[in-house]
């Protein structure tokens, strides 16, 4: 038999007292991911260019380290698409929880995932989340309830999802609220520890004479 135990996060880093009410949050888009071939910053930048053509110009914050040559390519792409002034490359940041709790939208554009902890943290922060519909992500987000899934590497689909969240604040707020509730119910590190202890105890009892 197989038992699935989700990796948990420290929910204490996202206290209710520090959550900014959704209607008071900046309508900026945050993506926390290292620059690598696994992550798909390019699709987000392309989507931002499509949004700009529609008159939507949210600020985009890319947090994370990774490979310098990949980051340089993404900077060049932002310039080519005319969105360089909107896309901010933050590098590694020490205050990610605070940033997430102050912004309304989180994006995880990616080609594949194991357990996307950055996405879980954004859920805990109460962000309206949009992510690529790939293995690893599907087990975290429930479409249309705790977030939106879009096809992998599909910039027009990502742009449509982001436009929906940017123009329908009530809908985005509902997704953020449901995402936070799901993170508390499923991805608390304390719950993870308890699950491992229970599993090991059951194994021990089963083998006892």
């Amino acid at each position: 038999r197989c038992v699935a135990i989700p990796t948990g996060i420290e929910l204490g880093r996202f206290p209710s007292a520090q959550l900014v009410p959704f209607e008071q949050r900046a309508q900026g888009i945050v993506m926390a991911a290292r620059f690598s071939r696994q992550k798909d910053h390019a699709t987000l930048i392309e989507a931002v260019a499509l949004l700009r053509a529609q008159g939507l110009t949210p600020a985009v914050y890319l947090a994370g380290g990774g490979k310098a040559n990949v980051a340089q390519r993404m900077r060049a792409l932002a310039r080519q698409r005319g969105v360089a002034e909107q896309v901010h490359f933050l590098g590694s940041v020490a205050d990610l929880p605070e940033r997430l709790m102050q912004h309304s939208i989180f994006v995880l554009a990616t080609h594949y995932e194991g357990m996307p902890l950055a996405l879980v943290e954004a859920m805990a922060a109460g962000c309206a989340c949009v992510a690529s519909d790939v293995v690893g992500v599907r087990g975290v987000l429930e479409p249309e309830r705790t977030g939106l899934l879009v096809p992998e590497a599909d910039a027009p689909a990502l742009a449509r999802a982001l436009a929906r969240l940017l123009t329908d604040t009530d809908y985005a707020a509902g997704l953020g609220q449901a995402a936070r509730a799901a993170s508390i119910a499923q991805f608390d590190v304390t719950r993870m520890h308890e699950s491992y202890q229970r599993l090991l105890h059951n194994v021990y009892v089963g083998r006892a004479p």
Side-chain angles (χ1 to χ4, degrees), residues 183-195:
S183 71
I184 294 171
Q186 302 175 37
F187 302 113
D188 184 356
V189 70
T190 301
R191 182 182 297 271
M192 179 189 75
H193 292 160
E194 291 172 349
S195 297

Side-chain angles (χ1 to χ4, degrees), residues 2 17 36 39 51-52 67 69 74 80 85 89 125 133 138 142 147 164 166 172 178 185:
C2 295
S36 68
K39 309 300 182 181
L51 289 174
R52 187 178 183 85
K67 296 184 177 180
N69 62 329
M74 295 304 104
Q80 292 166 8
E85 73 280 7
F89 293 77
D133 187 4
R138 296 186 191 115
E142 183 179 342
R164 184 179 181 186
L166 290 166

Side-chain angles (χ1 to χ4, degrees), residues 71-204:
Q72 290 171 0
R73 289 203 304 271
M74 295 304 104
R75 290 177 185 272
L77 179 61
R79 290 193 296 270
Q80 292 166 8
R81 296 295 183 265
V83 294
E85 73 280 7
Q86 288 176 241
V87 181
H88 306 275
F89 293 77
L90 304 179
S92 298
V93 297
D95 61 343
L96 183 60
E98 290 78 9
R99 289 177 183 271
L100 291 173
M101 289 187 287
Q102 293 168 2
H103 289 82
S104 58
I105 299 173
F106 178 85
V107 170
L108 178 60
T110 182
H111 297 299
Y112 60 90
E113 290 292 324
M115 177 62 186
L117 292 181
L119 176 59
V120 175
E121 291 185 339
M123 294 170 66
C127 296
C129 299
V130 185
S132 303
D133 187 4
V134 298
V135 172
V137 173
R138 296 186 191 115
V140 174
L141 279 186
E142 183 179 342
E144 299 290 341
R145 197 185 76 81
T146 61
L148 299 177
L149 293 178
V150 297
E152 176 193 0
D154 189 334
L158 179 55
R160 288 192 295 271
L162 290 172
R164 184 179 181 186
L165 298 180
L166 290 166
T167 57
D168 190 343
T169 304
D170 290 340
Y171 178 71
L175 290 180
Q177 184 177 10
R180 178 166 171 82
S183 71
I184 294 171
Q186 302 175 37
F187 302 113
D188 184 356
V189 70
T190 301
R191 182 182 297 271
M192 179 189 75
H193 292 160
E194 291 172 349
S195 297
Y196 276 114
Q197 290 173 345
R198 184 164 54 251
L199 173 63
L200 294 173
H201 173 75
N202 290 340
V203 170
Y204 173 77

